[in-house]
Amino acid sequence: MEKIQMTTPLVEMDGDEMTRVLWRQIKDQLLLPYIALKTEYYDLGLPERERTGDQVTVDSAGAAKKYGVAVKCATITPNAQRVEEYKLSQMWKSPNGTIRAILDGTVFRAPIMVKGVSPVVKTWKRPITIARHAYGDVYRATEYRVPGPGRAELLYTGADGSQFCQTIYDFECAGVLQGQYNKDTSIRSFARSCFQYAVDTKQDLWFSTKDTISKQYDHTFKDIFQEIFDAEYKARFDALGIEYFYTLIDDAVARVIRSQGGFIWACKNYDGDVMSDMVSTAFGSLAMMTSVLVSPDGKYEYEAAHGTVTRHYYRYLEGEQPSTNPMATIFAWTGALAKRGELDGLPALADFARKLERACISTIEGGVMTRDLAGLWEGEQPARAVTSVEFLQTIRAKLDELLAG
Ligand code: NAP
Ligand code: MG
């Protein structure tokens, strides 16, 4: 078979530990035999970030901006223990945070669904995608303990020296205090990324906040979404037959639980953090959760939602053949290849990506899976829990069948 050709390179961001091992195996087994793979390679593994003073992360984000589509392996976000383990000169920042800030993007997380691993919520038939605004609010808040009685005030001093002050509370005892902020520019980017992704994936978009209580803060989010929708996206939504609607978060959680899925739920930073953990757990396994960072000007970075699976990696180093689930990492590649195919007008590339996804899903539906899924399996035939290597081999055999047929 002749290999599928590419025109524009994918930005390839390699990573750490178990996922780095899987990355290599996925490329060797499932991509390189079929595609004349064109990538611009950046090694975001921790040793290379240390060697380059993290410049490699910044460069990779620049490349994602230039070429428009990137695929990223999970990476270690250093903590004190990692500084020791890798002899780091400093505690480098989270690569995901750095890339997100450079692309000004929003993260969309969606589960891969297979028959035999059913969501805890029985009505969910299609994926629910959570869009989390990854900037500001409680994550950038200023807070402290109030030592005792006294007045807390909220003071703004304008660039022109004008002032605006409100009493927050006259404390009669000790307590706590917190100041949060967000920026219109960031909220606008968030809104545009959400509308853009809804159009791309032809799904309804829901947005929820607590605007009844937060009449300025949350209401600003609601107003900005509505304004951008009316001015820039309403006609496109109408043409695609998809819907945007805003609802109070209390109403949203009730509707989500009763829904069949198949929509995007946009959430403020904290809501998105918490709700994405709830939704991904309810769909089954973290290893089946995909993630894509979308910038407001339509740049895409695909990855798995899980981390580098350190516990499996340490066992792998001791010679054990691990049963780590590569699904979300494979789907990061297929998402990126399909997007590249779409942007470059290469239907063969997009078609290959879809076939590879089908090969993965039908492997699991045929009863062959990694250990994490075997524990959740409710299919008719018994599950066969295999190593990552055997799992990839089974997928490859299925893929060959699909490509031949
Ligand atoms: P993790 O790598 O997601 O793994 C946590 C546990 O979840 C694993 O020990 C494993 O459970 C299970 N798991 C996750 N992915 C799996 C898969 N593909 N197949 C099978 N089981 C899977 O989270 P972590 O251990 O908290 O973090 C490890 C490193 O990843 C950290 O250094 C962190 O900074 C980094 N991280 C990176 C990203 C990213 O790059 N996007 C995201 C999160 C974390 P069992 O051990 O019970 O089998
Ligand atoms: Mg969380």
Side-chain angles (χ1 to χ4, degrees):
M1 198 190 86
E2 229 174 82
K3 288 191 185 183
I4 298 161
Q5 297 298 315
M6 294 177 65
T7 46
T8 316
L10 266 185
V11 179
E12 176 183 354
M13 304 168 172
D14 207 344
D16 289 297
E17 301 194 309
M18 203 59 231
T19 39
R20 186 182 181 95
V21 175
L22 291 174
W23 193 260
R24 188 71 253 167
Q25 292 171 350
I26 290 166
K27 283 176 68 181
D28 288 345
Q29 286 281 329
L30 301 177
L31 303 176
L32 292 169
Y34 306 98
I35 305 172
L37 195 65
K38 237 186 178 179
T39 72
E40 192 164 296
Y41 179 85
Y42 292 86
D43 184 0
L44 302 197
L46 194 46
E48 186 63 8
R49 278 182 273 151
E50 167 70 16
R51 196 188 66 80
T52 61
D54 209 25
Q55 186 59 37
V56 65
T57 307
V58 174
D59 291 347
S60 75
K65 250 186 146 151
K66 175 175 165 197
Y67 293 113
V69 187
V71 56
K72 180 180 170 294
C73 181
T75 46
I76 292 169
T77 298
N79 55 17
Q81 183 257 319
R82 299 296 199 164
V83 170
E84 176 82 1
E85 180 183 355
Y86 282 82
K87 306 276 173 267
L88 302 179
S89 58
Q90 52 175 287
M91 204 182 286
W92 303 109
K93 281 195 254 165
S94 150
N96 288 49
T98 302
I99 296 165
R100 201 161 53 216
I102 292 173
L103 292 181
D104 189 19
T106 295
V107 173
F108 297 82
R109 272 179 158 205
I112 304 159
M113 294 181 75
V114 293
K115 289 193 204 82
V117 180
S118 41
V120 174
V121 180
K122 292 301 171 204
T123 53
W124 291 356
K125 302 289 177 228
R126 282 172 294 153
I128 295 170
T129 302
I130 298 233
R132 171 182 172 191
H133 182 215
Y135 181 81
D137 303 350
V138 71
Y139 302 86
R140 297 228 178 181
T142 305
E143 58 173 34
Y144 50 81
R145 277 198 51 75
V146 173
R151 172 170 297 178
E153 293 173 327
L154 199 56
L155 170 69
Y156 163 81
T157 306
D160 61 1
S162 62
Q163 290 197 324
F164 192 83
C165 185
Q166 279 186 352
T167 299
I168 297 168
Y169 190 62
D170 282 313
F171 280 90
E172 72 283 356
C173 63
V176 284
L177 190 63
Q178 182 182 68
Q180 290 189 27
Y181 75 93
N182 222 303
K183 305 190 294 188
D184 283 9
T185 47
S186 178
I187 302 168
R188 280 177 195 285
S189 292
F190 173 45
R192 287 203 175 90
S193 297
C194 290
F195 291 126
Q196 180 66 38
Y197 195 69
V199 167
D200 281 352
T201 60
K202 301 182 185 57
Q203 296 185 86
D204 290 346
L205 177 67
W206 303 13
F207 180 45
S208 60
T209 73
K210 193 73 178 175
D211 67 295
T212 48
I213 299 298
S214 174
K215 292 189 169 64
Q216 295 293 328
Y217 201 110
D218 281 16
H219 215 287
T220 296
F221 280 76
K222 177 183 176 180
D223 289 344
I224 288 177
F225 264 70
Q226 195 63 49
E227 175 202 317
I228 291 179
F229 178 68
D230 291 342
E232 300 172 27
Y233 285 93
K234 186 166 187 323
R236 271 185 274 175
F237 271 55
D238 288 347
L240 289 170
I242 57 174
E243 197 187 356
Y244 165 65
F245 80 93
Y246 175 86
T247 187
L248 189 66
I249 188 152
D250 314 42
D251 178 49
V253 293
R255 282 179 189 241
V256 164
I257 296 297
R258 287 194 311 262
S259 77
Q260 299 206 335
F263 55 88
I264 301 162
W265 181 14
C267 292
K268 284 179 61 203
N269 208 350
Y270 174 81
D271 300 341
D273 184 354
V274 175
M275 291 304 166
S276 67
D277 282 347
M278 189 195 70
V279 169
S280 64
T281 306
F283 269 104
S285 167
L286 182 58
M288 298 289 275
M289 192 55 73
T290 64
S291 179
V292 55
L293 176 73
V294 182
S295 75
D297 56 346
K299 315 286 187 208
Y300 300 80
E301 182 242 294
Y302 293 83
E303 64 180 316
H306 60 78
T308 59
V309 210
T310 311
R311 277 205 293 271
H312 294 209
Y313 183 61
Y314 290 157
R315 295 205 300 262
Y316 167 81
L317 291 180
E318 286 168 6
E320 186 183 312
Q321 273 299 326
S323 180
T324 313
N325 189 338
M327 286 288 285
T329 305
I330 298 173
F331 275 63
W333 276 100
T334 56
L337 289 168
K339 178 55 80 180
R340 199 65 275 166
E342 178 196 320
L343 294 175
D344 295 349
L346 302 170
L349 190 61
D351 182 58
F352 172 82
R354 295 303 163 227
K355 284 193 170 127
L356 176 50
E357 290 178 353
R358 249 187 289 148
C360 291
I361 288 171
S362 76
T363 296
I364 297 174
E365 292 182 346
V368 177
M369 64 202 75
T370 45
R371 209 176 294 146
D372 56 311
L373 292 182
L376 303 167
W377 182 248
E378 295 174 336
E380 297 194 346
Q381 71 274 58
R384 192 155 74 83
V386 296
T387 63
S388 304
V389 170
E390 290 171 297
F391 185 63
L392 292 174
Q393 283 164 350
T394 315
I395 292 171
R396 182 165 179 185
K398 286 264 187 234
L399 177 62
D400 285 336
E401 271 172 39
L402 285 176
L403 292 171

